[in-house]
Amino acid sequence: MATIEEALEIERLERDIFRGASTKTQLPRTFGGQVAGQALVSAVRTVEPRYQVHSLHGYFLRPGNPSQPTVYLVERIRDGRSFCTRRVTGVQDGEAIFTMSASFHLGDAGPEHQDEMPTVPPPQDLPDAQVSLSPERLWAMREWEHWDIRNIPQEQVYRRDGQASQQQVWFRYRHPLPDDPLFHVCTLAYMSDMTLLGSSKVTHPDERTQNASLDHAMWFLRPFRADEWLLYDQNSPSAGFGRALTGGRIFNERGELVAAVVQEGLIRTQRKD
């Protein structure tokens, strides 16, 4: 399947208009992480290199057709001394399938603190999903063969009192990536849509559901590399009315909190007929 370089490839059509590549996939609709990643790359191309992405907020409006490219229209909302803001709309067949606001910051000096990383088994002690997944789930590893994803068994998940549903996952891109920090940010935006909604299914493992991402927000907190191990500490504080709220904190192996994610997704019970 597609490499991350292929998945994030965009072509500039006009000053603020871009076209994202369609890639080979097994999925019936365009993967949300690819749409978000391409939209962010488009926004990055309109901002001076001295600015770094610090947040994004996106809504998945319609299912994308994976066999068609997506056109991204970028609006330059603000160019300030410290912050820049862009709004991006992804379009297929004349209809918006995704909209996103992205904010960029020069970086400033200020107080620092962060939560501690949960105590979990190191990734080296866990099996590679390519050899540990059940046959009915192997399609996921074929789809994302370039990612090394290692789920922490539920009996080894670091538990926090009062949390309804938790899941923890180690992941990294299998191959060396370019040194450009913005490429790693866009790569993480792509990956962050993987596995997160699954944290809402932990307490309902046998219930058949229709799942899809509805909206997605990220904050990039510290530098990182997506080709080094990252811990995705996930939880789902609420599910109901066919929707689930999920959240994730992403740490590097040194215990630094590098990003945070919040997503709401469709988790609708499938009919049995």
Side-chain angles (χ1 to χ4, degrees):
M1 293 296 165
T3 65
I4 192 63
E5 291 88 348
E6 294 168 335
L8 296 180
E9 181 182 352
I10 63 167
E11 172 190 5
R12 191 173 219 138
L13 303 179
E14 278 285 350
R15 177 174 180 260
D16 294 334
I17 303 176
F18 303 84
R19 179 167 55 204
S22 59
T23 56
K24 185 178 180 182
T25 180
Q26 308 168 95
L27 302 175
R29 57 180 179 264
T30 308
F31 173 54
Q34 181 172 4
V35 177
Q38 289 183 347
L40 187 56
V41 173
S42 300
V44 165
R45 296 282 174 88
T46 70
V47 174
E48 292 181 29
R50 60 198 180 103
Y51 291 92
Q52 297 295 310
V53 187
H54 77 87
S55 68
L56 65 84
H57 296 71
Y59 283 89
F60 300 95
L61 305 175
R62 293 179 176 88
N65 184 339
S67 65
Q68 293 185 11
T70 304
V71 172
Y72 297 95
L73 312 176
V74 181
E75 297 177 70
R76 300 177 183 236
I77 304 300
R78 181 193 183 202
D79 284 305
R81 287 181 296 179
S82 297
F83 288 89
C84 292
T85 306
R86 297 292 184 264
R87 182 181 296 128
V88 186
T89 303
V91 178
Q92 285 187 347
D93 291 328
E95 293 188 319
I97 66 168
F98 179 73
T99 182
M100 181 186 78
S101 293
S103 184
F104 299 76
H105 186 211
L106 280 179
D108 290 304
E112 294 187 20
H113 67 263
Q114 68 155 76
D115 287 349
E116 289 187 6
M117 185 174 79
T119 302
V120 297
Q124 297 81 6
D125 291 354
L126 300 170
D128 188 331
Q130 285 192 340
V131 298
S132 64
L133 277 181
S134 59
E136 63 270 18
R137 291 288 296 162
L138 279 177
W139 69 267
M141 284 299 96
R142 289 192 294 269
E143 182 69 29
W144 293 293
E145 61 183 328
H146 300 290
W147 290 91
D148 193 342
I149 301 173
R150 307 193 181 196
N151 284 70
I152 295 174
Q154 276 296 302
E155 63 272 14
Q156 294 181 278
V157 167
Y158 180 91
R159 299 288 175 186
R160 291 184 292 277
D161 291 342
Q163 295 213 327
S165 190
Q166 291 181 244
Q167 179 173 266
Q168 289 162 341
V169 182
W170 284 105
F171 69 93
R172 65 176 176 180
Y173 195 71
R174 292 184 184 275
H175 317 295
L177 293 173
D179 289 333
D180 180 6
L182 286 172
F183 189 85
H184 289 263
V185 166
C186 295
T187 298
L188 187 60
Y190 175 98
M191 190 281 160
S192 64
D193 193 39
M194 293 185 210
T195 73
L196 182 56
L197 193 52
S199 65
S200 66
K201 293 291 297 293
V202 170
T203 55
H204 315 279
D206 300 321
E207 188 162 354
R208 295 181 59 191
T209 57
Q210 177 189 357
N211 306 319
S213 303
L214 295 176
D215 65 346
H216 196 84
M218 290 190 73
W219 295 265
F220 302 95
L221 308 174
R222 291 172 178 82
F224 63 90
R225 292 189 64 92
D227 52 5
E228 296 178 352
W229 284 115
L230 298 170
L231 176 69
Y232 206 167
D233 178 33
Q234 306 169 346
N235 72 92
S236 177
S238 177
F241 305 98
R243 304 186 310 273
L245 181 65
T246 59
R249 304 180 302 168
I250 301 176
F251 297 85
N252 62 22
E253 272 198 291
R254 296 183 295 278
E256 297 169 333
L257 181 61
V258 301
V261 188
V262 174
Q263 182 183 88
E264 187 179 42
L266 180 75
I267 179 170
R268 182 165 56 201
T269 301
Q270 288 185 347
R271 295 180 178 179
K272 295 182 180 180
D273 53 22

